[in-house]
Amino acid sequence: MIDSPRRPNATRRVKPVTALLKLLLTLVTLALAGALALVFLGEPLDDIEGRESGAGGANGDLLERAQAAIDAGLAFQATEAEINRHIQAVLEAREADGFELFSSFEGLWVRLGERGFDLIFERDFLGLDSTVAARIVIETSDSGYRIDVQGGRFGRLLVPRGALSLIRDGLESAGKVFLPEKDVLSRSGELTISPRQLRLEPIAKPAR
């Protein structure tokens, strides 16, 4: 009788494969844990102007000054600090009237940047300062303004545009609360957004 050949390396081959699978599982687990940590760790907000405690108000009502400038055919300029103070004043006034803007969010802030801004929702989650931010870019054209949400962040984790559907209600509520500001924007000409500053130009009058 001829003995069947043995395979001494078969068992040895299984061990490296098992070890590789364990390594991959460990790496995936660590990656998920790292992503969750980035989500629950709110992004730093210390650089946002106008957020500091006890900051003084802007020189007059920001909306009224913007309306007066645009109606007079003049350019209007506002700093990041003025915009954030205006936002907080509007939210406080609306909440005093019984309008609850965000039941789950405690703050709303703007960080101005090149061609757009970060709209940041702040909330307390299990005693931690948590944030969700949407990156919004505004482009000017002959037909008006084009607003594009280009993605955002959950805490410190970058997320694509589709993931921001989780804060869709918050974005829609913000749009409803700031309708007067949107009206001023629609009646102005070129909009320039740069770090720390926003500038509205009046609509150019046609040459006679």
Side-chain angles (χ1 to χ4, degrees):
M1 178 181 292
I2 300 176
D3 295 335
S4 58
R6 297 183 179 180
R7 297 181 180 179
N9 295 329
T11 304
R12 296 178 183 177
R13 290 176 182 174
V14 173
K15 291 183 178 179
V17 173
T18 303
L20 179 60
L21 290 176
K22 289 182 178 179
L23 177 60
L24 289 176
L25 181 60
T26 301
L27 292 176
V28 170
T29 302
L30 290 175
L32 290 175
L36 287 175
L38 291 175
V39 169
F40 291 120
L41 287 176
E43 67 174 286
L45 302 178
D46 296 340
D47 64 312
I48 296 180
E49 296 185 354
R51 183 177 177 273
E52 64 274 13
S53 177
N59 182 20
D61 182 81
L62 191 70
L63 181 59
E64 291 181 0
R65 292 193 290 122
Q67 290 173 330
I70 296 302
D71 291 342
L74 302 173
F76 172 76
Q77 186 170 295
T79 65
E80 181 178 282
E82 289 177 319
I83 294 172
N84 278 314
R85 291 166 188 157
H86 174 74
I87 289 174
Q88 302 316 305
V90 170
L91 295 183
E92 290 175 3
R94 292 299 180 92
E95 290 176 357
D97 292 337
F99 180 81
E100 294 184 3
L101 177 58
F102 308 115
S103 59
S104 59
F105 293 97
E106 298 181 348
L108 179 65
W109 310 100
V110 164
R111 180 189 287 118
L112 300 180
E114 293 294 342
R115 298 176 49 246
F117 59 92
D118 292 338
L119 186 63
I120 304 171
F121 298 86
E122 183 183 13
R123 64 179 176 181
D124 180 274
F125 182 79
L126 299 178
L128 299 174
D129 290 330
S130 178
T131 58
V132 179
R135 176 61 181 173
I136 300 174
V137 173
I138 302 179
E139 297 180 351
T140 307
S141 65
D142 294 338
S143 58
Y145 292 100
R146 179 175 179 272
I147 301 176
D148 184 22
V149 180
Q150 295 191 339
R153 295 180 302 279
F154 287 170
R156 305 186 187 192
L157 180 69
L158 293 174
V159 297
R161 175 179 179 175
L164 295 177
S165 60
L166 296 174
I167 59 169
R168 181 178 59 186
D169 291 343
L171 292 171
E172 292 178 350
S173 295
K176 293 177 182 178
V177 168
F178 295 101
L179 282 176
E181 287 77 6
K182 292 173 64 178
D183 177 66
V184 171
L185 186 64
S186 67
R187 294 190 293 109
S188 63
E190 183 177 357
L191 168 66
T192 303
I193 302 178
S194 57
R196 310 301 186 194
Q197 187 171 283
L198 176 149
R199 182 180 176 86
L200 290 174
E201 300 290 346
I203 296 177
K205 296 181 179 180
R208 295 181 179 180

